[in-house]
Structures are given as structure tokens and as C-alpha cells.
Amino acid sequence: MTTILIVDDLLSDRRIASGLLKEGGSFDVVFAENGRIALEQIDLHMPDLVLTDLQMPEMDGLELVKQVRSKYPMMPTILMTAAGSEIISRQAIESGAASYVPKQHLAAELLTTVQRVIASAGEEQLQARLVGRLSQSTWIIENDPALVSGLVAHIRKLLQTKRLCEESDLLRVSTAVDEAVLNALY
């Protein structure tokens, strides 16, 4: 199950965000009142995503985003704030946030934004795991079927980029590699 850390100094806002997420998906939710406590919660629970308010005591949301990005580069963050503007949105992205949701649009946008970011992060994490197993053009994927689709997508990109295969043959080659690797695993 996906775990989300909600960081906000207002209990009511933490509850609203939690309710929206639980209503629309199957998420475990962990809470923190500020950025300092959030970093402690990350160490304890290793959430899949951090959803943080901008204005908080002790450590604001932008600083938390920077800290998370520095310590946990594969952990996505989403910034939310009542004081929404293009400037804050740009600052959030520049600080390393994956996305930004104004609190006045939380009900309409939070769930889809979280789902989109988690899906994107999952694909990036899969690619990172796969690239980490690349050893002299050899992938060592143990017996992990979850890596097969990432491997096939990576090989397809390599073939496409290096023009080693006609476009019309890419689907057939991808399917053949997928079946061969899955057969080897099973």
C-alpha cells in the first residue's frame, strides 16, 4: 500500500488532505506538524510521497522539499498552500517538488495530482533500479518480474535511439524480449 506523509501545522488541513486521499484511493497516511518532525517521520516510515504545506513553523515547505530532495532523491514531494501564485509554484518546482496544488483546489486536484506523481515516480524508480543492475550490457534482475517491463522499455528505447531496428519491428522485438525474459524467470 502507498504511504503518504502529510505535513501541515494545522490539524484541520491535515485531516482534510487525509480525507480526500483516503476517499479516493487506498493510501496509508502519516502526519507531521512541521518540516523537522517530517524528516523524523520519513526516517521512521519511508513514505512513497510527501505532501507538504508551504508556511509552517521551524521549517517551511520549500526548505522541507529541498531537504527531502537532498536526502531522498527518489522520494517525490508535492507542495500545497493557501497563498497560491505562479511565483510559489515556480519556487516549489525549482526547489525539487514534483508538483504543486493550491489549497483552494485541493478537493478537485489533490487525488489526481498524487496519483500522477506516484505513477511517474514509480516508473522512475523502476528505471533507476534497472539501470543500477546494468553491468557491461548485462542486466542482473534477479528473479523480480516487476523489472521486466522496465527492462523491455529500456531496451526498446536503446534500439530506437541507436536505430538498430526498424520502427515497424520494435513492437515485435519488445514482445519477444518480454516473453523470453519472463520465460527465463519462470
Side-chain angles (χ1 to χ4, degrees):
M1 184 172 289
T2 303
T3 302
I4 298 175
L5 172 60
I6 298 175
V7 188
D8 199 310
D9 57 324
L10 296 175
L11 176 62
S12 59
D13 287 351
R14 291 192 306 266
R15 286 183 177 165
I16 289 169
S18 174
L20 291 168
L21 291 172
K22 287 183 176 181
E23 181 180 298
S26 56
F27 300 109
D28 279 335
V29 179
V30 181
F31 300 101
E33 298 82 39
N34 60 52
R36 183 187 52 76
I37 295 171
L39 292 173
E40 293 170 6
Q41 292 288 26
I42 290 171
D43 287 337
L44 287 173
H45 301 284
M46 287 308 281
D48 298 291
L49 180 134
V50 176
L51 174 65
T52 183
D53 187 23
L54 173 65
Q55 297 175 333
M56 297 179 294
E58 296 190 45
M59 181 188 295
D60 71 9
L62 288 177
E63 182 59 31
L64 176 60
V65 167
K66 289 175 188 174
Q67 292 281 331
V68 171
R69 183 79 171 166
S70 172
K71 293 179 181 179
Y72 311 96
M74 298 301 288
M75 185 178 295
T77 56
I78 298 174
L79 191 75
M80 60 180 175
T81 185
S85 73
E86 287 295 317
I87 294 169
I88 292 172
S89 175
R90 190 184 85 242
Q91 287 175 329
I93 301 302
E94 287 174 356
S95 296
S99 192
Y100 165 83
V101 179
K103 283 188 177 179
Q104 61 265 31
H105 301 294
L106 222 51
E109 297 178 13
L110 181 62
L111 183 62
T112 56
T113 302
V114 165
Q115 289 171 333
R116 180 179 42 81
V117 169
I118 287 173
S120 178
E123 188 61 36
E124 286 178 25
Q125 290 166 350
L126 186 63
Q127 288 293 326
R129 284 179 63 204
L130 187 61
V131 169
R133 286 163 173 78
L134 178 61
S135 173
Q136 298 179 6
S137 300
T138 302
W139 286 275
I140 303 168
I141 59 172
E142 294 93 25
N143 197 16
D144 188 352
L147 290 173
V148 174
S149 63
L151 173 64
V152 171
H154 187 72
I155 290 172
R156 184 178 180 144
K157 280 183 189 176
L158 286 174
L159 291 173
Q160 211 168 15
T161 303
K162 301 215 180 258
R163 301 182 200 281
L164 297 173
C165 186
E166 295 292 323
E167 287 289 325
S168 59
D169 293 330
L170 279 176
L171 179 60
R172 286 194 295 276
V173 170
S174 297
T175 303
V177 170
D178 184 64
E179 289 177 6
V181 174
L182 283 174
N183 284 339
L185 287 177
Y186 294 115

